[in-house]
Amino acid sequence: MSTYVIRRIIYMLLTLLGASMLIFFLYALTPGDYVDNNMNMTEQRKAELREIYGFNKPLVERYTAWLGNVLEGDFGYSLQHQKPIMTLFNHYIWNSFLLAAASTFLTWFIAVVAGVLCAYKSHSIFDKSVTIFIFAAMSIPSFFIGLFFIKLFAVDAGILPPGGMITTGSNAEGWAYIIEVAEHMILPVLIVTLLGTGSLTRYFRSHMLEAMKQDYVRTARAKGLKERIVLYRHALRNAMLPAITLIGFELPTLFGGSIVIEKIFNWPGIGQLYMQSFTMRDYPLLMGFTMLIAILTVIGTFISDLLYRLADPRVRL
């Protein structure tokens, strides 16, 4: 096990090194930058800023300096916001995490329950109804259903806030603040859950159908075990093994934010910050965010590999 972990860590470091090179040179070689984007500056002032920001230095020198700072936990300085990038991350990323964590929990809970029931009642009216609903939800664009829900629940019914994280001008504190944030979370969490449940439900349904055909399920039924125990202790437990590989991809999702949903509901998350950086060509912030997602992806994959080895003895052998 220790040899496997050491080998995986070496692969992780090599992967991150290659990702850092790709990320830096992709943004560095893109035409234009934050200085060029400002039309009100004179050429002399632009030249001064390029000297200050180091844009006129050789690419290799800029890359080594940037990589050295990243290794120390410093992702650089945002040119647009005039703040350290880690300060911006700490301010925005937890808002995205709050939204993503709630929707991820609901998505997995609903998908597991619906997938198990659909597999158990395969080809029944319930299974067909859920399948139709799933494909309908997956086919609707997020921006359309987001705006539709805002009109339906916020504008027409007036029972939910249309956007933001708190009410404009609110000075709520303590439990009042928590309740206010929770009310503003309902619509975006509902939409993210609705859009994400479909594919995951189909995933669990197919694996449950496969697991229920195995010999150990027939043996458990032959022993006279209750159907509930057969489903959840034997079939679902083995059907969940392939889903462990999906856990690694949830980690960058939790911190990466949802660009479309955050934009529609004006949620102050990392997704909105990322889009603003694209508009202003704030490449240091874009590089820092992309590198952070790469790190989280590699770590998430590493965790899912370890969990899979612990959950399935056949892989260890």
Side-chain angles (χ1 to χ4, degrees), residues 190-245:
L190 178 63
I191 292 172
V192 175
T193 302
L194 182 64
L195 297 176
T197 303
S199 58
L200 201 57
T201 301
R202 299 296 297 175
Y203 183 88
F204 282 115
R205 179 185 181 276
S206 62
H207 283 284
M208 274 294 295
L209 285 174
E210 183 178 351
M212 290 172 65
K213 297 176 183 177
Q214 301 301 316
D215 293 337
Y216 57 82
V217 173
R218 286 194 290 267
T219 303
R221 284 173 173 163
K223 289 180 178 180
L225 295 179
K226 295 181 179 179
E227 193 66 17
R228 177 174 54 84
I229 296 177
V230 173
L231 283 177
Y232 291 99
R233 184 176 295 180
H234 295 277
L236 180 60
R237 184 174 181 179
N238 288 275
M240 286 290 290
L241 288 176
I244 294 177
T245 57

Side-chain angles (χ1 to χ4, degrees), residues 54-163:
F55 291 159
N56 55 353
K57 294 181 179 179
L59 285 177
V60 177
E61 182 180 346
R62 290 167 55 191
Y63 169 71
T64 54
W66 177 75
L67 182 61
N69 292 332
V70 169
L71 293 176
E72 295 177 358
D74 180 11
F75 285 88
Y77 197 81
S78 172
L79 306 180
Q80 175 190 358
H81 299 274
Q82 293 297 301
K83 292 180 180 179
I85 292 174
M86 287 303 298
T87 301
L88 292 172
F89 284 171
N90 289 330
H91 181 72
Y92 286 97
I93 204 168
W94 296 111
N95 297 337
S96 295
F97 176 81
L98 183 64
L99 205 65
S103 58
T104 300
F105 173 78
L106 289 176
T107 298
W108 277 72
F109 177 78
I110 295 173
V112 170
V113 174
V116 171
L117 292 178
C118 286
Y120 180 65
K121 301 181 179 181
S122 178
H123 304 297
S124 65
I125 297 178
F126 175 80
D127 181 30
K128 293 178 181 179
S129 301
V130 172
T131 301
I132 294 173
F133 176 78
I134 285 172
F135 280 108
M138 293 171 62
S139 303
I140 301 175
S142 58
F143 66 87
F144 173 81
I145 194 171
L147 294 174
F148 176 73
F149 274 29
I150 289 175
K151 182 182 185 303
L152 188 64
F153 294 104
V155 178
D156 295 341
I159 57 177
L160 291 173

Side-chain angles (χ1 to χ4, degrees), residues 162-208:
M165 190 171 180
I166 58 174
T167 305
T168 303
S170 174
N171 296 318
E173 296 180 354
W175 281 107
Y177 175 79
I178 295 175
I179 293 173
E180 190 171 319
V181 172
E183 289 177 348
H184 285 76
M185 285 178 57
I186 292 176
L187 279 181
V189 167
L190 178 63
I191 292 172
V192 175
T193 302
L194 182 64
L195 297 176
T197 303
S199 58
L200 201 57
T201 301
R202 299 296 297 175
Y203 183 88
F204 282 115
R205 179 185 181 276
S206 62
H207 283 284
M208 274 294 295

